[in-house]
Amino acid sequence: MPKYKKVRKQGMKGDFLRQPDRIIEGENRLINVFDAAGKNIDNKVVDEFGKEWLRFGDHDDDLVKKGGDEYFDILNDDIINSQTYALDVGCGTGRWTKYLAAKIGFIEAVDPSNAIFAADKLLGKIKNVRLSKASIETLPFADETFDFVMSVGVLHHIPDTEKALRDCVKKVKKGGYFFVYLYYNLDRRGPFYRLLFKISNVIRIIVSAFPGKMKHFICDILAVIFYMPFVWAGRFINFLSFKDLAKRMPLHGYQNRSFFMIRNDALDRFGTRLEQRFSKSEVTEMMQNAGLTDIVISDGIPFYHAVGKKL
Ligand SMILES: C[S@@+](CC[C@H](N)C(=O)[O-])C[C@H]1O[C@@H](n2cnc3c(N)ncnc32)[C@H](O)[C@@H]1O
């Protein structure tokens, strides 16, 4: 990991709820560090994500564009625009912060792991972003601050997902929006998919218990033997112009993705010890319970990504 110069604690004139415990000078900007993380966090998972994102942080523009277009297919100009003040909770490498920074007024991006340094690198000189090392339960912003809050692929790695979702929604202004991506529980799939998932889940439980480098190595192998056969078969079927059949293949979302991203996702999928999965109705219910209305759950991959408006 690169060395970062620590600068002395200094008062913030901005709109944090409390002062950062430290401010670290990153390569491109200052990073505010809030140490208290609360209880609703799995510190081992966070630590591992820090390592993962420092290794896989160099997303190219094509990956950010393709992924962002898929995730944010359900957003429109009423939800986000150049006036929007936004919060990205669990930003990781900041890839979706980067995607949205071009469309949004200003984004606060937070993550409790060392991924925040990868985000600093990926976001480069982009000006309308501020980075903080902070956790969901102790977000350093007043309630009802943001026009738009998003949490992409984060809440299913947190012990109490529903509480974490409520904590995010608290930060949304009335009339503002919350966007979430949560792993689906394969409720829209048939028995073959479910069987594959059960097998892969057993592998995940075993692989995620391995120490760092060994785990990364095994996940690279899994990317080749588990993902690539489906990806290659799907690409071939697509090449033969059986496009609908190609779309029904397992892991079809990876057919237009680079091997770098597949390795990254294999590590995400098999290397993480805590993951939870939800049906479409559970996602809807959690969002409603948090005070959201006008909920839209996309029919597109990745399942499920959804947006709702705060009452
Ligand atoms: C799968 S990554 C997703 C990163 C990013 N949103 C993306 O989609 O590329 C999950 C992220 O959630 C973060 N995370 C885990 N527990 C968290 C918590 N309690 N509060 C905030 N972020 C958390 C991890 O550090 C990790 O960067």
Side-chain angles (χ1 to χ4, degrees):
M1 193 181 120
K3 289 233 162 26
Y4 290 91
K5 202 168 94 188
K6 286 188 182 170
V7 297
R8 72 186 166 79
K9 186 170 162 177
Q10 50 182 253
M12 285 289 299
K13 287 200 181 113
D15 39 13
F16 286 129
L17 198 55
R18 54 185 191 280
Q19 291 206 342
D21 295 296
R22 283 179 308 292
I23 298 175
I24 296 178
E25 207 175 290
E27 275 177 27
N28 296 297
R29 56 181 61 68
L30 297 178
I31 297 169
N32 305 283
V33 180
F34 298 88
D35 286 330
K39 290 189 184 137
N40 197 14
I41 184 167
D42 184 322
N43 288 311
K44 273 196 182 162
V45 167
V46 168
D47 198 40
E48 288 296 310
F49 271 123
K51 289 180 195 146
E52 173 180 335
W53 291 130
L54 285 172
R55 183 172 176 218
F56 284 107
D58 288 332
H59 308 302
D60 61 34
D61 288 347
D62 186 50
L63 182 150
V64 174
K65 163 98 177 68
K66 277 186 186 153
D69 286 350
E70 278 177 3
Y71 275 122
F72 303 119
D73 59 340
I74 47 179
L75 303 189
N76 57 37
D77 291 350
D78 292 335
I79 300 177
I80 52 157
N81 53 58
S82 59
Q83 303 303 310
T84 302
Y85 182 35
L87 169 65
D88 182 359
V89 185
C91 64
T93 55
R95 52 188 169 172
W96 314 132
T97 314
K98 185 174 184 184
Y99 181 89
L100 288 182
K103 306 170 193 285
I104 273 181
F106 193 90
I107 309 191
E108 305 275 1
V110 311
D111 199 288
S113 77
N114 284 335
I116 206 77
F117 300 116
D120 177 42
K121 197 169 164 212
L122 186 75
L123 290 160
K125 302 289 173 206
I126 294 175
K127 288 267 177 277
N128 57 336
V129 172
R130 178 162 65 172
L131 296 183
S132 300
K133 205 164 187 273
S135 163
I136 285 184
E137 208 174 41
T138 52
L139 288 168
F141 306 101
D143 290 353
E144 304 196 352
T145 293
F146 296 96
D147 305 301
F148 179 77
V149 174
M150 66 175 182
S151 190
V152 184
V154 177
L155 306 185
H156 45 233
H157 297 304
I158 289 187
D160 185 341
T161 299
E162 181 154 17
K163 177 178 184 301
L165 193 146
R166 281 199 308 273
D167 285 343
C168 289
V169 174
K170 277 185 195 160
K171 304 300 165 192
V172 183
K173 281 181 193 162
K174 288 195 175 72
Y177 292 86
F178 175 65
F179 174 92
V180 69
Y181 163 55
L182 286 166
Y183 283 161
Y184 79 131
N185 71 357
L186 288 94
D187 51 341
R188 54 189 292 143
R189 300 292 189 187
F192 176 60
Y193 260 89
R194 287 171 194 237
L195 175 67
L196 272 183
F197 171 70
K198 280 195 177 135
I199 296 168
S200 73
N201 205 37
V202 173
I203 299 174
R204 176 184 67 81
I205 291 164
I206 297 166
V207 172
S208 64
F210 277 89
K213 279 194 178 151
M214 176 70 93
K215 179 161 68 183
H216 285 214
F217 178 66
I218 297 171
C219 290
D220 279 351
I221 292 177
L222 287 170
V224 176
I225 63 171
F226 192 87
Y227 284 64
M228 291 316 287
F230 290 113
V231 171
W232 281 320
R235 282 178 188 163
F236 185 62
I237 291 169
N238 207 20
F239 170 74
L240 296 177
S241 296
F242 296 113
K243 300 211 180 293
D244 285 344
L245 182 59
K247 271 193 187 158
R248 289 206 301 275
M249 291 287 291
L251 304 173
H252 86 267
Y254 292 103
Q255 285 167 20
N256 65 352
R257 290 295 162 82
S258 67
F259 184 55
F260 176 81
M261 182 169 178
I262 293 170
R263 281 174 64 213
N264 180 187
D265 277 17
L267 179 59
D268 224 51
R269 173 71 192 87
F270 290 102
T272 308
R273 65 190 202 125
L274 172 64
E275 72 158 47
Q276 313 193 59
R277 289 180 169 265
F278 302 92
S279 66
K280 194 171 185 177
S281 56
E282 286 168 337
V283 173
T284 309
E285 200 182 317
M286 283 195 287
M287 292 178 79
Q288 282 169 342
N289 290 345
L292 297 168
T293 181
D294 298 355
I295 293 164
V296 175
I297 301 192
S298 176
D299 275 331
I301 54 167
F303 305 121
Y304 288 113
H305 59 280
V307 68
K309 185 174 186 176
K310 184 155 172 185
L311 285 167

